Amino acid sequence: MLLDNEELLQKLKQAAASSDTAKAAEEDFIATFYGLGVEQEEASRLALFVFRQIHTAQSAIQLENDIFARYQAIRIEKNGKSFTLPQALTVQISGRAETIFSQVSDCFTDIQGPVIDYGAGDCQVTQLLKDRLDLDIEAADVVDYRTPRTTVQFSAIREGKLDRPDGFYDAALLTNVLHHEKNNALILADIDRLVTGRIVIIETVPEGKTDAEQEADLGRTFLNDWFYNRTFHPNAGIPVPGSYETIDGWKSRFARTGWILLKVTDLGRDQPLIADRHVLFVLMKPAQTSI
Protein backbone atom coordinates (compact mmCIF):
# COMPACT_ATOMS: atom_id res chain seq x y z
CA MET A 1 0.00 0.00 0.00
CA LEU A 2 1.43 3.36 -1.00
CA LEU A 3 1.14 6.48 1.10
CA ASP A 4 -1.65 8.65 -0.31
CA ASN A 5 -1.04 12.33 -0.98
CA GLU A 6 -3.05 13.60 1.98
CA GLU A 7 -1.14 11.36 4.38
CA LEU A 8 2.13 12.41 2.75
CA LEU A 9 1.33 16.09 3.28
CA GLN A 10 0.52 15.54 6.94
CA LYS A 11 3.75 13.61 7.42
CA LEU A 12 5.69 16.47 5.81
CA LYS A 13 4.05 19.06 8.04
CA GLN A 14 4.73 16.97 11.13
CA ALA A 15 8.42 16.57 10.27
CA ALA A 16 8.79 20.27 9.41
CA ALA A 17 7.11 21.26 12.69
CA SER A 18 10.04 19.88 14.68
CA SER A 19 12.59 22.68 14.96
CA ASP A 20 15.57 20.32 15.25
CA THR A 21 14.45 18.23 12.29
CA ALA A 22 13.66 21.27 10.16
CA LYS A 23 17.01 22.90 10.95
CA ALA A 24 18.96 19.76 10.01
CA ALA A 25 16.99 19.24 6.80
CA GLU A 26 17.25 22.91 5.86
CA GLU A 27 21.04 22.67 6.11
CA ASP A 28 20.91 19.60 3.84
CA PHE A 29 18.73 21.39 1.29
CA ILE A 30 21.07 24.40 1.26
CA ALA A 31 24.05 22.10 0.69
CA THR A 32 22.24 20.43 -2.22
CA PHE A 33 21.33 23.72 -3.87
CA TYR A 34 24.84 25.08 -3.36
CA GLY A 35 26.32 21.88 -4.77
CA LEU A 36 24.19 22.32 -7.86
CA GLY A 37 25.67 25.75 -8.47
CA VAL A 38 23.25 28.07 -6.67
CA GLU A 39 24.93 30.95 -4.83
CA GLN A 40 24.99 30.48 -1.04
CA GLU A 41 22.57 33.31 -0.22
CA GLU A 42 20.10 32.20 -2.88
CA ALA A 43 20.46 28.59 -1.72
CA SER A 44 19.42 29.66 1.76
CA ARG A 45 16.42 31.59 0.41
CA LEU A 46 15.42 28.61 -1.71
CA ALA A 47 15.55 26.19 1.23
CA LEU A 48 13.44 28.63 3.28
CA PHE A 49 10.97 28.80 0.38
CA VAL A 50 10.59 25.01 0.40
CA PHE A 51 9.78 25.00 4.12
CA ARG A 52 7.33 27.89 3.82
CA GLN A 53 5.54 25.99 1.06
CA ILE A 54 5.30 22.90 3.27
CA HIS A 55 3.81 24.88 6.16
CA THR A 56 1.13 26.56 3.99
CA ALA A 57 0.38 23.76 1.50
CA GLN A 58 -3.13 22.33 1.15
CA SER A 59 -2.19 19.70 -1.42
CA ALA A 60 0.96 17.55 -1.74
CA ILE A 61 0.73 17.55 -5.53
CA GLN A 62 0.35 21.33 -5.71
CA LEU A 63 3.15 21.75 -3.19
CA GLU A 64 5.58 19.72 -5.28
CA ASN A 65 4.61 21.36 -8.54
CA ASP A 66 4.94 24.86 -7.06
CA ILE A 67 8.43 24.05 -5.80
CA PHE A 68 9.39 22.48 -9.12
CA ALA A 69 8.21 25.60 -10.96
CA ARG A 70 10.55 27.66 -8.78
CA TYR A 71 13.39 25.27 -9.63
CA GLN A 72 12.63 25.59 -13.34
CA ALA A 73 13.05 29.37 -13.14
CA ILE A 74 16.61 29.05 -11.84
CA ARG A 75 19.42 28.85 -14.39
CA ILE A 76 22.76 27.20 -13.67
CA GLU A 77 25.66 28.07 -15.96
CA LYS A 78 28.28 25.37 -16.32
CA ASN A 79 30.93 24.75 -18.97
CA GLY A 80 29.28 27.21 -21.31
CA LYS A 81 25.85 25.58 -20.98
CA SER A 82 22.71 26.71 -19.20
CA PHE A 83 20.62 24.32 -17.13
CA THR A 84 17.50 24.54 -15.01
CA LEU A 85 17.98 23.31 -11.44
CA PRO A 86 16.42 19.86 -12.15
CA GLN A 87 18.59 19.51 -15.27
CA ALA A 88 21.68 20.38 -13.24
CA LEU A 89 20.80 17.64 -10.74
CA THR A 90 20.38 15.07 -13.53
CA VAL A 91 23.79 15.98 -14.92
CA GLN A 92 25.54 15.83 -11.57
CA ILE A 93 24.14 12.46 -10.45
CA SER A 94 24.80 10.79 -13.80
CA GLY A 95 27.38 8.53 -12.15
CA ARG A 96 24.92 7.10 -9.62
CA ALA A 97 24.51 3.77 -11.45
CA GLU A 98 28.28 3.32 -11.65
CA THR A 99 28.57 3.91 -7.91
CA ILE A 100 25.92 1.31 -7.09
CA PHE A 101 27.45 -1.17 -9.54
CA SER A 102 30.80 -0.83 -7.80
CA GLN A 103 29.13 -1.47 -4.44
CA VAL A 104 27.21 -4.62 -5.41
CA SER A 105 29.08 -6.25 -8.30
CA ASP A 106 31.33 -8.41 -6.08
CA CYS A 107 28.20 -9.97 -4.59
CA PHE A 108 27.21 -11.47 -7.95
CA THR A 109 30.47 -12.63 -9.55
CA ASP A 110 29.87 -16.28 -8.55
CA ILE A 111 26.16 -16.40 -9.38
CA GLN A 112 25.39 -18.70 -12.30
CA GLY A 113 21.60 -18.83 -12.31
CA PRO A 114 18.89 -16.21 -12.89
CA VAL A 115 18.90 -12.96 -10.90
CA ILE A 116 16.10 -10.44 -10.34
CA ASP A 117 16.68 -6.72 -9.83
CA TYR A 118 13.51 -6.12 -7.82
CA GLY A 119 12.45 -2.47 -7.93
CA ALA A 120 14.99 -1.73 -10.64
CA GLY A 121 13.98 1.87 -11.36
CA ASP A 122 15.59 3.10 -14.57
CA CYS A 123 17.42 -0.26 -14.93
CA GLN A 124 20.84 1.32 -15.44
CA VAL A 125 22.36 -0.80 -12.67
CA THR A 126 20.62 -3.90 -14.04
CA GLN A 127 22.10 -3.21 -17.46
CA LEU A 128 25.61 -2.77 -16.06
CA LEU A 129 25.38 -6.09 -14.21
CA LYS A 130 24.21 -7.82 -17.37
CA ASP A 131 26.79 -6.25 -19.68
CA ARG A 132 29.86 -6.41 -17.42
CA LEU A 133 29.26 -9.61 -15.45
CA ASP A 134 27.24 -11.44 -18.12
CA LEU A 135 24.57 -12.09 -15.50
CA ASP A 136 21.31 -13.76 -16.40
CA ILE A 137 19.44 -10.84 -14.87
CA GLU A 138 16.05 -9.27 -15.42
CA ALA A 139 14.34 -6.22 -13.96
CA ALA A 140 11.01 -5.67 -12.24
CA ASP A 141 9.21 -2.64 -10.81
CA VAL A 142 5.72 -1.31 -10.19
CA VAL A 143 6.23 1.34 -12.91
CA ASP A 144 8.31 1.08 -16.09
CA TYR A 145 11.05 3.69 -15.58
CA ARG A 146 13.47 2.14 -18.09
CA THR A 147 15.90 4.36 -19.98
CA PRO A 148 15.72 4.13 -23.80
CA ARG A 149 18.88 2.00 -24.23
CA THR A 150 17.80 -0.72 -21.80
CA THR A 151 17.89 -4.25 -23.22
CA VAL A 152 17.27 -6.27 -20.05
CA GLN A 153 13.94 -8.04 -19.79
CA PHE A 154 11.42 -6.09 -17.71
CA SER A 155 8.34 -7.33 -15.85
CA ALA A 156 5.77 -5.41 -13.83
CA ILE A 157 5.13 -6.08 -10.15
CA ARG A 158 1.38 -6.29 -9.62
CA GLU A 159 -0.37 -6.18 -6.24
CA GLY A 160 2.87 -6.86 -4.40
CA LYS A 161 3.89 -9.90 -6.41
CA LEU A 162 6.02 -10.70 -9.43
CA ASP A 163 4.47 -13.27 -11.75
CA ARG A 164 7.20 -15.89 -11.52
CA PRO A 165 7.18 -19.40 -9.99
CA ASP A 166 8.42 -19.97 -6.46
CA GLY A 167 12.19 -20.35 -6.31
CA PHE A 168 12.67 -19.04 -9.84
CA TYR A 169 15.77 -16.93 -9.05
CA ASP A 170 19.13 -17.80 -7.55
CA ALA A 171 19.70 -14.25 -6.32
CA ALA A 172 18.06 -10.84 -5.97
CA LEU A 173 19.10 -7.20 -5.80
CA LEU A 174 17.00 -4.53 -4.09
CA THR A 175 18.49 -1.04 -4.32
CA ASN A 176 16.65 1.49 -2.14
CA VAL A 177 13.36 -0.31 -2.70
CA LEU A 178 11.98 -1.28 0.69
CA HIS A 179 11.53 2.22 2.12
CA HIS A 180 9.49 3.26 -0.93
CA GLU A 181 6.71 0.81 -0.05
CA LYS A 182 4.54 1.50 2.98
CA ASN A 183 3.88 -2.18 3.61
CA ASN A 184 7.31 -3.47 2.64
CA ALA A 185 6.65 -6.80 4.36
CA LEU A 186 4.94 -7.68 1.07
CA ILE A 187 8.22 -7.20 -0.77
CA LEU A 188 10.17 -9.28 1.74
CA ALA A 189 7.58 -12.05 1.42
CA ASP A 190 7.74 -12.01 -2.37
CA ILE A 191 11.55 -12.11 -2.37
CA ASP A 192 11.45 -14.98 0.12
CA ARG A 193 9.14 -16.83 -2.25
CA LEU A 194 11.11 -16.10 -5.42
CA VAL A 195 14.74 -16.49 -4.38
CA THR A 196 16.62 -19.62 -3.34
CA GLY A 197 20.03 -18.11 -2.59
CA ARG A 198 21.60 -14.68 -2.15
CA ILE A 199 19.76 -11.44 -1.44
CA VAL A 200 21.63 -8.13 -1.80
CA ILE A 201 19.96 -5.04 -0.36
CA ILE A 202 20.94 -1.38 -0.23
CA GLU A 203 18.71 0.70 2.01
CA THR A 204 18.44 4.30 3.12
CA VAL A 205 18.76 4.44 6.89
CA PRO A 206 18.76 7.32 9.39
CA GLU A 207 22.10 8.59 10.65
CA GLY A 208 23.49 8.02 14.13
CA LYS A 209 25.66 5.52 15.99
CA THR A 210 22.92 4.21 18.27
CA ASP A 211 19.34 3.14 17.68
CA ALA A 212 18.18 6.18 19.68
CA GLU A 213 20.20 8.57 17.50
CA GLN A 214 18.88 6.91 14.36
CA GLU A 215 15.30 7.10 15.61
CA ALA A 216 15.80 10.83 16.23
CA ASP A 217 17.01 11.25 12.64
CA LEU A 218 13.97 9.66 10.98
CA GLY A 219 12.28 13.02 10.25
CA ARG A 220 15.34 14.48 8.55
CA THR A 221 15.78 11.29 6.52
CA PHE A 222 12.15 11.48 5.40
CA LEU A 223 12.39 15.16 4.39
CA ASN A 224 15.54 14.53 2.34
CA ASP A 225 13.96 11.52 0.64
CA TRP A 226 10.88 13.55 -0.28
CA PHE A 227 13.01 16.55 -1.30
CA TYR A 228 14.99 14.53 -3.86
CA ASN A 229 12.28 12.21 -5.17
CA ARG A 230 9.28 14.53 -5.22
CA THR A 231 10.36 18.15 -5.61
CA PHE A 232 12.81 17.44 -8.43
CA HIS A 233 10.55 14.77 -10.00
CA PRO A 234 7.03 15.94 -9.07
CA ASN A 235 5.06 13.87 -11.57
CA ALA A 236 7.07 10.65 -11.57
CA GLY A 237 4.81 9.04 -8.98
CA ILE A 238 7.68 7.95 -6.74
CA PRO A 239 6.20 6.94 -3.37
CA VAL A 240 7.84 8.31 -0.22
CA PRO A 241 6.00 6.69 2.70
CA GLY A 242 8.95 7.01 5.09
CA SER A 243 9.15 3.26 5.78
CA TYR A 244 12.67 3.38 7.18
CA GLU A 245 14.31 1.15 9.75
CA THR A 246 17.43 1.55 11.81
CA ILE A 247 20.30 -0.79 10.92
CA ASP A 248 19.43 -3.04 13.86
CA GLY A 249 15.78 -2.81 12.89
CA TRP A 250 16.53 -4.26 9.46
CA LYS A 251 18.73 -6.96 10.98
CA SER A 252 15.86 -8.03 13.23
CA ARG A 253 13.37 -8.10 10.38
CA PHE A 254 15.68 -10.11 8.14
CA ALA A 255 16.25 -12.57 11.00
CA ARG A 256 12.50 -13.00 11.45
CA THR A 257 12.23 -13.75 7.74
CA GLY A 258 14.73 -16.55 8.29
CA TRP A 259 17.52 -15.11 6.16
CA ILE A 260 21.14 -15.44 7.24
CA LEU A 261 23.00 -12.14 7.45
CA LEU A 262 26.43 -12.51 5.83
CA LYS A 263 27.64 -8.94 5.57
CA VAL A 264 26.73 -5.38 6.57
CA THR A 265 28.56 -2.42 5.04
CA ASP A 266 27.80 1.17 6.04
CA LEU A 267 28.16 3.08 2.76
CA GLY A 268 27.52 6.44 4.41
CA ARG A 269 26.52 9.41 2.23
CA ASP A 270 27.72 7.74 -0.94
CA GLN A 271 25.74 9.75 -3.49
CA PRO A 272 26.57 13.36 -4.31
CA LEU A 273 24.28 16.20 -3.30
CA ILE A 274 21.60 14.27 -1.36
CA ALA A 275 22.22 13.72 2.37
CA ASP A 276 21.12 10.08 2.49
CA ARG A 277 22.97 7.37 4.40
CA HIS A 278 23.00 3.97 2.72
CA VAL A 279 23.79 0.53 4.10
CA LEU A 280 24.53 -2.66 2.15
CA PHE A 281 23.15 -5.95 3.50
CA VAL A 282 24.14 -9.30 2.01
CA LEU A 283 21.90 -12.18 3.03
CA MET A 284 21.34 -15.81 2.13
CA LYS A 285 18.45 -18.20 2.32
CA PRO A 286 19.28 -20.85 4.94
CA ALA A 287 20.25 -23.57 2.46
CA GLN A 288 23.43 -21.70 1.42
CA THR A 289 25.85 -19.66 3.50
CA SER A 290 28.93 -18.91 1.37
CA ILE A 291 29.92 -15.65 -0.34
Side-chain angles (χ1 to χ4, degrees), residues 97-257:
E98 289 282 355
T99 298
I100 296 172
F101 173 81
S102 71
Q103 292 165 343
V104 304
S105 57
D106 286 351
C107 302
F108 294 99
T109 53
D110 61 340
I111 301 295
Q112 301 297 318
V115 179
I116 182 64
D117 188 351
Y118 198 99
D122 62 15
C123 298
Q124 290 190 56
V125 176
T126 328
Q127 193 70 51
L128 289 172
L129 289 166
K130 176 180 175 62
D131 294 344
R132 297 183 184 177
L133 301 185
D134 197 28
L135 278 186
D136 177 13
I137 188 168
E138 61 181 280
D141 212 319
V142 293
V143 177
D144 188 351
Y145 295 111
R146 282 177 293 175
T147 55
R149 297 181 182 178
T150 301
T151 63
V152 293
Q153 180 180 339
F154 176 86
S155 299
I157 301 168
R158 302 296 187 198
E159 297 181 354
K161 293 186 70 174
L162 180 61
D163 186 16
R164 292 289 185 275
D166 293 359
F168 187 81
Y169 300 102
D170 283 7
L173 172 65
L174 294 87
T175 305
N176 284 307
V177 174
L178 295 172
H179 71 271
H180 284 298
E181 168 56 52
K182 184 178 181 180
N183 185 11
N184 51 41
L186 294 174
I187 297 176
L188 297 179
D190 204 31
I191 291 297
D192 192 56
R193 177 185 70 82
L194 290 166
V195 179
T196 60
R198 192 168 304 158
I199 302 161
V200 180
I201 295 173
I202 292 179
E203 258 305 310
T204 297
V205 299
E207 295 185 337
K209 293 182 179 180
T210 67
D211 257 17
E213 290 175 348
Q214 291 177 45
E215 290 284 351
D217 192 55
L218 285 169
R220 185 202 63 86
T221 301
F222 169 70
L223 286 169
N224 272 286
D225 198 16
W226 167 81
F227 171 65
Y228 169 69
N229 284 292
R230 303 282 294 216
T231 70
F232 284 92
H233 314 88
N235 298 305
I238 302 170
V240 184
S243 302
Y244 314 104
E245 297 276 0
T246 65
I247 296 174
D248 285 343
W250 280 125
K251 288 179 181 178
S252 296
R253 290 188 62 186
F254 297 148
R256 290 198 299 272
T257 305

Side-chain angles (χ1 to χ4, degrees), residues 32 42 85 89 94 102 115 123 136 143 177 219 248 262 277 283:
T32 295
E42 176 60 20
L85 201 59
L89 178 67
S94 60
S102 71
V115 179
C123 298
D136 177 13
V143 177
V177 174
D248 285 343
L262 302 178
R277 176 193 188 188
L283 306 114

